[in-house]
Amino acid sequence: MSLQVLVTGANGFVGKAVSRALLQRGDGVVGVVRRAQTAAEGVREWLLDTEDFEGIEPRWPVGFSCDAVIHLAARVHVMRETVADPLVAYRATNVEGALRVAAAARRAGARRFVFVSSVKAMAEASTGRPIGETDTPAPVDPYGISKLEAERALFDYGRASGLEIVVARPPLVYGPGVRANFLQLMNALARGIPLPLGAVTARRSLVFVDNLADALVHCATDPRAAGETFHVTDGRDLSVAELARALATQLHAPARLVPVPAGVLRVAGRLTGRSAQIDRLIGELRLDSSHIRERLGWVPPYTVEHGLLETAAWYRATH
């Protein structure tokens, strides 16, 4: 049975993949965007240029009732923060904005609200074992704190209103169109720059964007997902060195990985004021994604190799 699904952040990296996955199922997709003609082909765009979804309810399209919402829009990491109190700004978008969308959608008939959170709502690192959904959360930055607060506020709203809430926590998402650190890594590998990653053995969970999109469709459509929180990964965790070698192979570039001890990298991070970046590069951050497999029977449709091949092919075609 086809559904009508509202996707916020529909013109983003993940939003386009989610929209395509829904359209392939035969669902109708309305994408909330700030600029016209930026969503995936086949998406009915809703231009909503308001801060933190203020006034979303009176602007709701006449006659549009949706079955489910996949909420991707968020205030993400700001490299050069300019606001006086970042946590207030993150809460305004990630907590209050999400609640406004949920309330407006509920009044328009939505039964299910899928909130795309983040591993950072749980922790910045794992210690010896993957992090499970029921572990004690310990977010450390305003982004992670706001995501955890949004999860809790939405579950409270769901209990009060009857709206089914589902939370999905992905780790680093990669795929065609990826930006930030993953793109910088590919840039360095493609140019043959030596990287001090040869001795990094700590593993980190990843998820290919089309695997994440498939999981989010399950979260929006499977009755068994209601009220659940799911960690979503590819199911195979790579070290940064393994990731770099695999990417270099797909990029047809040499993997010049210098075996610099992790302790030396940490000292370099402190000296250059980049401790957080170094910790993200060499620290362990693994998620246990067995719950979504056991609860929903979900299996990632694509392997890590396929995901890296698609990502590298996009990079070679566009850079």
Side-chain angles (χ1 to χ4, degrees), residues 114-135:
V114 180
F115 179 67
V116 184
S117 185
S118 167
V119 60
K120 290 182 177 293
M122 290 299 290
E124 290 287 337
S126 55
T127 53
R129 68 174 182 84
I131 300 168
E133 289 89 347
T134 58
D135 287 349

Side-chain angles (χ1 to χ4, degrees), residues 73-94:
R75 186 178 203 262
V76 295
H77 295 286
V78 179
M79 295 305 291
R80 293 174 180 82
E81 192 64 78
T82 57
V83 298
D85 190 340
L87 184 54
V88 169
Y90 278 105
R91 281 174 172 153
T93 302
N94 297 348

Side-chain angles (χ1 to χ4, degrees), residues 2 16-29 40-43 210 213-214 217 301-302:
S2 64
K16 287 181 178 176
V18 169
S19 298
R20 287 192 295 265
L22 289 165
L23 291 168
Q24 285 167 5
R25 270 176 35 98
D27 296 324
V29 181
E41 186 178 349
V43 173
D210 287 344
D214 187 76
V217 170
Y302 303 102

Side-chain angles (χ1 to χ4, degrees), residues 199-252:
V200 178
T201 58
R203 297 182 180 277
R204 298 181 76 86
S205 293
L206 306 168
V207 64
F208 177 45
V209 67
D210 287 344
N211 283 341
L212 176 58
D214 187 76
L216 293 176
V217 170
H218 279 72
C219 289
T221 59
D222 193 319
R224 297 169 295 182
E228 298 288 340
T229 298
F230 297 117
H231 291 170
V232 184
T233 77
D234 284 340
R236 185 166 147 233
D237 302 334
L238 303 178
S239 71
V240 175
E242 288 172 331
L243 174 63
R245 291 190 189 99
L247 273 173
T249 299
Q250 301 292 4
L251 290 167
H252 310 308

Side-chain angles (χ1 to χ4, degrees), residues 299-313:
V299 177
Y302 303 102
T303 64
V304 174
E305 288 79 9
H306 175 90
L308 295 178
L309 174 64
E310 291 282 320
T311 309

Side-chain angles (χ1 to χ4, degrees), residues 6 18 54 105 118 152 178 185 208 218 275 280 283 306 317:
L6 182 77
V18 169
E54 288 185 9
S118 167
R152 291 172 169 170
V178 70
L185 176 61
F208 177 45
H218 279 72
S275 287
R280 281 197 294 272
H306 175 90

